Amino acid sequence: MALSFKIQPFTIATFIFFSLLLSLPHFTASGSPNDLSCLKVSPINFTNSAKEVITNLQKVISILSRFADPFGQSRLLNAVSDCLDLLDMSADQLDWIISATRNPTGKDKSTGNLSSDLRTWLSAVLVNTDTCIEGLQGTIVMGLVYADLDRVMSSVKNLLDEVIPIYDQLPTATSSDQFPSWMKDSDMKLLQANETTADAVVAADGSGNYSNVTDAVFAAPEFNMKRYVIFVKKGVYVENVEIKKKKWNIMIIGEGMDVTVISANRSYVGGSTPFHSATFAVNGRGFIAQDISFRNTAGPEMHQAVALRSDSDLSVFHRCGIFGYQDSLYPHSMRQFYRECTIAGTVDFIFGDGTAVFQNCQILARQGLPEQKNTVAAQGRIDPNQPTGFSFQFCSISAENDTVATYLGRPWKNFSRTVFMQSHMSNAIRPEGWLEMNGSFALDTLYYGEYNNSGPGSVVANRVKWSGYHVLNDSLDANKYTVAQFIEGDLWLPSIGVNYTTGL
């Protein structure tokens, strides 16, 4: 049973804005980045190296499969299951890399910027492997696979170093009645429509096609190149939902973040790994969520408990609520965009190694355990060649009540990168701003920046004195993390007509 529902013109524009985020043709002074000029080595050598990584991954998968138990409840079995999923995704990402290198102009597996794609996907393989190693740390299984996983890490870092970052020159914006040549006719029609039709309807009261979100996602087509819309009626859906890697281009629309809620309570104390604990997890490419909330209700005493995890490349979350305590939001890998979302938590409540932009979001620190120190961001960049990082622009950084204090972030990994720009910071932000993770670890290699923020918590006079911390006074430095340069929105947003801020 399909449901037609009205979407206001701004929402339709935003829908396409989200659908195609980062999927843009690019232009450079040295030619188009969708050729092989971004490689330091020959394409044959590059793809052969990628194939060797796949061989090592398959060896580890074969070993771990002996320990797999689909009904296992222990943290070890969950860690093994995580690894199998992560390494399977990595093999796919390496296949995309090989395919894109062989056919740089292919539409199905390229955003139009080969350099950006290769660096993003290699970064995902790197963080997938690192997450697998972390999950197995201290177990009897680690000794069996560590050498091969370490070899994968080293090889992927070498491949990352072989890809030259390509910086684009922005073309003149097109008028509102023009569309990029790479857009499909169906996307252009959707852009111009005043209403759309849901492919599936989820309703707890039985008035839809499905009574839970999991069944609706399971029924969606695999490797779908068209947008597949699942409309979730208001209600609280108590379930753990996972959108598998083969489920591409799914969009989930609720009736508002306050009334459409997906809720569960997996946690580290309850036996889950952080990766496995997510109430809602998405791996399939091109995912969009709008007007819905994801909650993990485990509570602060249960430690790591993820509400939302995304490994979806080009995924977008618009007017979504992400509510938890420790580790609420996990942008684990890939390119992600969050706009007008409310994100609440305690310790490291936005963490991961994705390339994520947060614009016009409300960031709320919650009351944690007495001995805990709240931190907003724990970005996990592993290698300096990764394009990953968190950028917060025009956000509100505050707390649920006046007794809660928080830091802006701390370095989870060596090259952690986080920037806050033009955001309002309440007096909940500690004067020093940032917190050490473990003594002097990563304080020289991280990159933390603040630019032109406002509010009582934005005063930088008493901020940390680390060499990796920067007060950005030059707009050229800050511009690197804006919509125009970080996600290149000026290439196509003017043709849509949606309100947005291009730079500073």
Side-chain angles (χ1 to χ4, degrees), residues 267-307:
S267 68
Y268 182 81
V269 173
S272 291
T273 61
F275 189 85
H276 182 75
S277 70
T279 295
F280 192 97
V282 54
N283 302 324
R285 290 172 58 167
F287 176 75
I288 298 172
Q290 181 171 284
D291 296 321
I292 192 169
S293 280
F294 311 101
R295 297 178 183 268
N296 192 310
T297 60
E301 68 280 359
M302 303 302 281
H303 297 283
Q304 295 101 323
V306 175

Side-chain angles (χ1 to χ4, degrees), residues 25 31 37 62 116 141 245 352 421-422 460 490:
S37 62
S62 176
S116 176
V141 180
K245 64 173 188 173
M421 306 187 301
Q422 297 170 299
V460 298
D490 278 351

